[in-house]
Amino acid sequence: MGGVIFGYDIGISGGVTSMEPFLEKFFHQVYTKMKQDTEVSNYCKFDSQLLTSFTSSLYVAGLVASFFASWLTKSRGRKPSILLGGGAFLAGAALGGAASNVYMLIFGRVLLGVGVGFANQAVPLYLSEMAPPRYRGAINNGFQLSVGIGVLAANLINFGTEKIRSGYGWRISLSMAAVPAAILTVGAIFLPETPSSLIQLTNDKDRARRLLQRVRGTSEVQSELADLIEASELSKSIDHNPFRKILEANYRPQLVMAVAIPFFQQVTGINVIAFYAPLLFRTIGMGESASLMSAILTGAVGIATTFLSMVIVDRVGRRPLFLVGGVLMLVSQVLVGAIMAAELGDHGGIGKRYAVAVIVLIGFYVAGFGVSWGPLGWLVPSEIFPLEIRSAGQSIVVAVSFLFTFVVAQTFLSMLCHLKAGIFFFFGGWVVVMTVFVYLLLPETKGLPIEKMGDVWREHWFWNRVVVVGGPGVGEHLPAKFGEGGSQSSVVDL
């Protein structure tokens, strides 16, 4: 449900901002320009800073909330952050559905942002700490699968509510976000705290052992429990300011990844598709219903490929999926940009064959993201931080993600107006950069217990020059080939 509320919000905003009754009520200037102004360029019809503020205000609120969430997650546990996130999202959904003016509308988005900030900080951590090491990739990727389900649900609801003739369909779309938020809030009451958090907060080793036995389905958990206790004792013996601690040289690899991975995830351009797919499809000349249906199809592709990533990530590893997804996204973006540059002028639409080609290529692009940067952008950061900096590291990940989501969401319609088809080449260039980054600097992390994750940096050709052998967050020596196919049992033996 943490992923569903995030995905629903991403998907719902693009759909309602393409609905004419919504634009007429809250953004009349955009509505007039779309309906009556025959001089304005296809690429500039939706260029409005107020309209983009509706979408992007959530991410400013989420950015700020993520730092409060870090304190709450560390000092009170993962469960309270999930509860608070669900409650704030519930209030925001109610306010958005009842909005009578643009200020009420945007304040509702801010409350949604607070909810998403807390949920995105706590949910991936919760999943990574609860999951067995050999299934951690699949379970954590379930978060991104749920984001995709939320996006698809939002697109389906938008497609239905757009047909309500009385013009209040957008209210149903916005208020329906309360359903997954209510499930998350009520359901979180019954969740146990994670074993790592229990030991960190209460030092109740017996309770943590019983919980581990329950979630692992075996009484043989002493080795994993010992790792958790050791990590907790280490975190308590060092500087208690995790944001200062993460700046130390020994945590430099984790800090770089905490900034680079969420930054790259946003400059893939995926949220352009997620937020503005209906507007983009209208830009190339499609009608209102056709543009919403096209968004549904691309959303379904995203879910299918994210599920594929869940199935194979713990077998093939993180790096191969990053690299394959990057190539697929790059080729798709270049071809979409080429078609739009050649066929779409400032006025009129493009031929039906070319419109279908654009939709298909965007589907391939979404598929590339679905197997790689979508799920792995949340999985890898959530599994690489040692306990003493884990809440701070995850907050940095969420804050950077929200910061650049805000930047992309706020500037895209203006960039589309000025760069036109070149916008796809712009994002394609970033895909090249991030694919090279992964190839050179990201080690493989599959199969390694989360409390032993520090070892991968000492085995890496570049990061072994930075980290201190045996320093905080860096475990004992592991075989160099561990990340390339080592088993869980080899760690237990060590």
Side-chain angles (χ1 to χ4, degrees):
M1 287 300 109
V4 168
I5 62 172
F6 187 34
Y8 188 91
D9 189 78
I10 289 172
I12 213 70
S13 60
V16 297
T17 53
S18 73
M19 293 182 187
E20 294 180 6
F22 178 82
L23 291 174
E24 186 176 16
K25 182 174 179 62
F26 295 109
F27 306 98
H28 193 74
Q29 185 178 3
V30 176
Y31 175 78
T32 302
K33 185 164 54 174
M34 180 183 71
K35 297 294 286 185
Q36 300 175 9
D37 193 338
T38 58
E39 300 298 321
V40 68
S41 168
N42 278 320
Y43 293 99
C44 301
K45 287 181 178 179
F46 298 96
D47 183 16
S48 165
Q49 289 302 300
L50 185 60
L51 181 61
T52 52
S53 294
F54 164 71
T55 295
S56 61
S57 57
L58 179 146
Y59 299 96
V60 177
L63 189 158
V64 175
S66 66
F67 290 105
F68 289 98
S70 171
W71 171 82
L72 185 67
T73 303
K74 181 176 176 61
S75 63
R76 296 292 183 269
R78 285 53 168 153
K79 179 175 173 176
S81 288
I82 297 173
L83 277 167
L84 185 57
F89 201 93
L90 194 59
L95 192 61
S100 59
N101 57 63
V102 73
Y103 303 106
M104 196 172 172
L105 192 70
I106 291 178
F107 184 60
R109 293 283 293 175
V110 169
L111 285 175
L112 294 176
V114 172
V116 170
F118 275 86
N120 281 19
Q121 206 277 346
V123 169
L125 277 186
Y126 189 95
L127 293 173
S128 286
E129 290 182 345
M130 285 297 240
R134 57 182 172 175
Y135 300 127
R136 187 177 59 246
I139 290 173
N140 201 292
N141 279 10
F143 180 77
Q144 180 64 29
L145 178 69
S146 298
V147 172
I149 291 171
V151 171
L152 180 60
N155 288 330
L156 287 168
I157 289 171
N158 281 336
F159 183 72
T161 58
E162 176 266 329
K163 300 183 184 304
I164 297 175
R165 293 183 179 180
S166 55
Y168 64 86
W170 60 269
R171 291 192 184 276
I172 297 176
S173 292
L174 294 179
S175 59
M176 283 291 287
V179 175
I183 296 172
L184 176 67
T185 307
V186 174
I189 296 172
F190 301 97
L191 289 176
E193 193 52 84
T194 70
S196 293
S197 187
L198 279 177
I199 292 173
Q200 190 176 32
L201 297 174
T202 68
N203 205 32
D204 190 339
K205 300 178 180 63
D206 287 337
R207 186 179 169 194
R209 186 187 70 254
R210 290 194 300 271
L211 178 58
L212 267 178
Q213 289 172 339
R214 192 166 129 214
V215 298
R216 297 291 181 260
T218 176
S219 60
E220 302 298 323
V221 297
Q222 199 56 43
S223 177
E224 184 176 0
L225 181 64
D227 287 341
L228 298 180
I229 294 171
E230 181 182 358
S232 177
E233 290 173 350
L234 176 63
S235 72
K236 292 175 181 177
S237 68
I238 61 176
D239 189 343
H240 289 292
N241 187 336
F243 286 101
R244 185 186 305 143
K245 195 69 184 173
I246 201 172
L247 296 176
E248 295 181 4
N250 215 54
Y251 301 105
R252 192 66 42 78
Q254 291 95 330
L255 179 60
V256 169
M257 297 303 162
V259 174
I261 289 178
F263 167 72
F264 285 141
Q265 189 184 47
Q266 298 314 311
V267 295
T268 57
I270 187 61
N271 279 335
V272 168
I273 304 300
F275 296 151
Y276 299 120
L279 299 186
L280 181 64
F281 293 136
R282 295 206 72 176
T283 295
I284 62 175
M286 290 185 173
E288 191 172 351
S289 291
S291 64
L292 291 172
M293 177 54 74
S294 299
I296 290 171
L297 295 176
T298 55
V301 170
I303 291 177
T305 51
T306 303
F307 182 76
L308 174 64
S309 181
M310 283 181 63
V311 172
I312 65 176
V313 65
D314 290 311
R315 300 176 187 176
V316 304
R318 283 65 163 151
R319 278 169 49 88
L321 292 181
F322 269 126
L323 299 177
V324 170
V327 171
L328 189 55
M329 285 191 292
L330 174 62
V331 172
S332 302
Q333 284 175 316
V334 169
L335 291 176
V336 169
I339 290 173
M340 292 183 69
E343 298 297 326
L344 182 64
D346 285 334
H347 304 286
I350 64 177
K352 185 176 180 180
R353 285 186 305 167
Y354 290 110
V356 171
V358 167
I359 294 171
V360 170
L361 287 169
I362 288 178
F364 278 110
Y365 164 78
V366 170
F369 183 84
V371 298
S372 61
W373 282 92
L376 302 184
W378 292 106
L379 165 63
V380 173
S382 73
E383 67 183 359
I384 62 174
F385 300 114
L387 185 61
E388 62 269 20
I389 60 166
R390 192 169 295 157
S391 63
Q394 185 67 14
S395 287
I396 292 171
V397 172
V398 174
V400 172
S401 178
F402 282 158
L403 173 62
F404 287 100
T405 302
F406 165 75
V407 171
V408 170
Q410 188 66 30
T411 60
F412 170 68
L413 293 178
S414 181
M415 290 172 67
L416 180 64
C417 180
H418 290 90
L419 295 180
K420 300 183 178 179
I423 191 75
F424 291 95
F425 299 114
F426 171 81
F427 288 120
W430 279 112
V431 172
V432 173
V433 173
M434 67 184 69
T435 303
V436 173
F437 174 88
V438 166
Y439 182 77
L440 294 177
L441 296 178
L442 183 67
E444 183 56 68
T445 56
K446 73 169 181 175
L448 189 61
I450 194 168
E451 302 304 339
K452 294 285 189 181
M453 195 62 69
D455 297 287
V456 299
W457 310 108
R458 194 165 63 81
E459 299 294 336
H460 190 266
W461 72 272
F462 177 80
W463 296 118
N464 64 10
R465 310 174 194 180
V466 178
V467 297
V468 178
V469 176
V474 181
E476 298 300 319
H477 178 73
L478 288 178
K481 293 185 178 179
F482 182 88
E484 300 170 10
S487 67
Q488 186 180 0
S489 61
S490 62
V491 176
V492 175
D493 292 341
L494 285 169

